[in-house]
Amino acid sequence: MDQALASLITSAAGTGAPTLTSSRYYGSATCPYTLPNGTQVMYLARRILPQAGIYQAVQTYVVVDGDRLDNLAAKFLGDPLLYWMICDANNSTDLDALTAQVGRSILIPMSSSIPPGARYG
């Protein structure tokens, strides 16, 4: 990466990792990878899906036709970007699969605090 660009990213966003606190990658480590041509590329460290049991479920919700996980996160958690917490609480990596089956019950976690380990496994 061009040094000037790397400096800009680091000065504006710390490590280059997401700075939005609602991101599941907030605070994640960044790692360097060197391409065969010598160019260094930064990437986010892998996020391991946490055990669903670390989330305290406050209710279950029965999926209805037309539901989207971002809308459910906005309604129940107060922020559509927290859809990932519903995925984690239901041990799912596919947000569309959680709302694909009408009548399916999904857990809605408590959003007041993100449990330790939920962000980076």
Side-chain angles (χ1 to χ4, degrees):
M1 177 184 300
D2 176 271
Q3 189 58 37
L5 179 58
S7 296
L8 178 65
I9 291 171
T10 301
S11 67
T15 65
T19 57
L20 189 60
T21 56
S22 61
S23 170
R24 73 179 103 185
Y25 297 103
Y26 176 74
S28 291
T30 55
C31 305
Y33 175 75
T34 304
L35 299 173
N37 68 2
T39 303
Q40 191 174 54
V41 178
M42 299 299 287
Y43 66 95
L44 289 174
R46 180 178 176 191
R47 177 182 181 264
I48 306 299
L49 189 65
Q51 295 292 317
I54 68 171
Y55 289 94
Q56 182 177 350
V58 293
Q59 71 181 78
T60 59
Y61 174 78
V62 178
V63 174
V64 297
D65 190 36
D67 273 340
R68 286 191 357 215
L69 213 52
D70 60 336
N71 290 337
L72 295 177
K75 178 178 180 179
F76 294 111
L77 306 178
D79 184 347
L81 296 178
L82 292 178
Y83 69 89
W84 61 270
M85 288 181 73
I86 299 173
C87 283
D88 285 0
N90 288 277
N91 203 26
S92 176
T93 57
D94 185 349
L95 64 117
D96 293 326
L98 283 177
T99 56
Q101 181 183 359
V102 172
R104 176 183 183 171
S105 290
I106 59 175
L107 298 174
I108 305 297
M110 183 180 345
S111 66
S112 61
S113 66
I114 297 171
R119 293 199 189 274
Y120 0 94

